Amino acid sequence: MKKLKITVTAGPTREYLDPVRFLSNPSTGKMGFAVARAAAERGHEVTLVAGPVALKTPKGVRRIDVVSAREMAAAVGASQGDVLVAVAAVADWRPRKRAAKKLKKRDMAGVLELVRNPDILKTAEFPVKIGFAAETGDPAPEAVRKCREKKLAMIVANDVSEAGSGFGADTNRVALCRADGTVERLPKMSKLAVARRIARECENLRA
Ligand code: C5P
């Protein structure tokens, strides 16, 4: 089997409006770290670009810690390789301005101006790209559409409104959705088992 260079993004990003306040989401990084671990266990060269999470680096994985979406985009852009697996829950927006000092309550207008963050998965150049999608309700139709829009080989979609699936859980029930419209629904399984399946998919898609 050919050794692949695989870049994985994981965890949330933080978008600061001042030194002590940020926009983010409840991603814990478990799924992305599991993908990095599974790919490394299969002998691949793995770069893990991680947002702020409290997890240990899997054995044999090169880890780059980042905070914001723009930092994550820069690290992914510098990594290059065969496959990008974008598991991170990237904040879609950031505050237009980041104050150097803590904002005073009285100086806050009650309205926060936001600008769009770069779409890392869409803009990164890798021969094979795999995305993740969290939706509430059946994620498959939207995932197939996104596959085509972002030129992805596959989207791993999950319904985050279901118990034991999504943010923070140890298990996940996912559907593998491809641009050709095929959807393979997997049973609920551990995130590591999902990750091992994705690692094998990386090899098949690159072959
Ligand atoms: O379009 P949506 O945000 O639902 O797409 C989710 C996928 O895109 C995930 O794989 C996520 O890691 C990736 N993404 C990204 N950069 C963004 C937003 C999402 O890489 N700014």
Side-chain angles (χ1 to χ4, degrees):
M1 187 182 63
K2 189 176 168 273
K3 183 173 167 175
L4 301 176
K5 280 191 178 179
I6 301 179
T7 297
V8 181
T9 68
T13 65
R14 284 184 188 173
E15 312 298 330
Y16 278 87
L17 47 141
D18 73 12
V20 298
R21 300 183 179 98
F22 55 82
L23 302 177
S24 193
N25 61 67
S27 170
T28 59
K30 277 183 191 167
M31 188 65 239
F33 275 58
V35 170
R37 172 180 161 184
E41 282 176 355
R42 292 181 71 79
H44 302 300
E45 192 182 320
V46 181
T47 300
L48 174 61
V49 182
V53 296
L55 294 175
K56 281 206 315 209
T57 310
K59 224 163 100 194
V61 168
R62 181 170 80 110
R63 173 173 177 176
I64 302 171
D65 284 311
V66 297
V67 176
S68 68
R70 286 189 294 176
E71 285 173 21
M72 187 173 275
V76 169
S79 74
Q80 297 187 327
D82 299 291
V83 185
L84 172 64
V85 189
V87 196
V90 183
D92 291 310
W93 302 85
R94 67 175 182 275
R96 192 172 66 81
K97 280 193 293 197
R98 177 180 176 161
K101 289 190 176 158
K102 185 181 173 189
L103 294 165
K104 302 278 184 226
K105 271 197 266 309
R106 62 173 179 276
D107 295 333
M108 298 173 91
V111 175
L112 184 59
E113 242 192 285
L114 302 176
V115 293
R116 284 301 292 266
N117 269 331
D119 189 318
I120 300 164
L121 180 57
K122 189 172 179 176
T123 51
E125 286 181 34
F126 281 77
V128 173
K129 299 197 283 187
I130 297 175
F132 269 67
E135 308 277 354
T136 48
D138 181 6
E142 178 64 7
V144 171
R145 191 193 63 73
K146 261 181 213 172
C147 252
R148 292 177 182 150
E149 188 214 315
K150 299 194 192 189
K151 299 202 164 46
L152 310 178
M154 194 172 89
I155 278 200
V156 183
N158 67 330
D159 179 352
V160 290
S161 57
E162 187 190 350
S165 195
F167 289 133
D170 288 314
T171 52
N172 220 355
R173 186 206 300 276
V174 302
L176 307 183
C177 311
R178 297 165 201 269
D180 66 6
T182 56
V183 175
E184 187 183 344
R185 292 176 202 274
L186 304 182
K188 189 182 283 186
M189 51 173 93
S190 72
K191 286 188 172 175
L192 188 56
V194 173
R196 288 185 170 135
R197 176 65 198 271
I198 293 165
R200 289 204 309 275
E201 290 288 334
C202 290
E203 295 158 16
N204 296 338
L205 291 165
R206 189 64 178 124

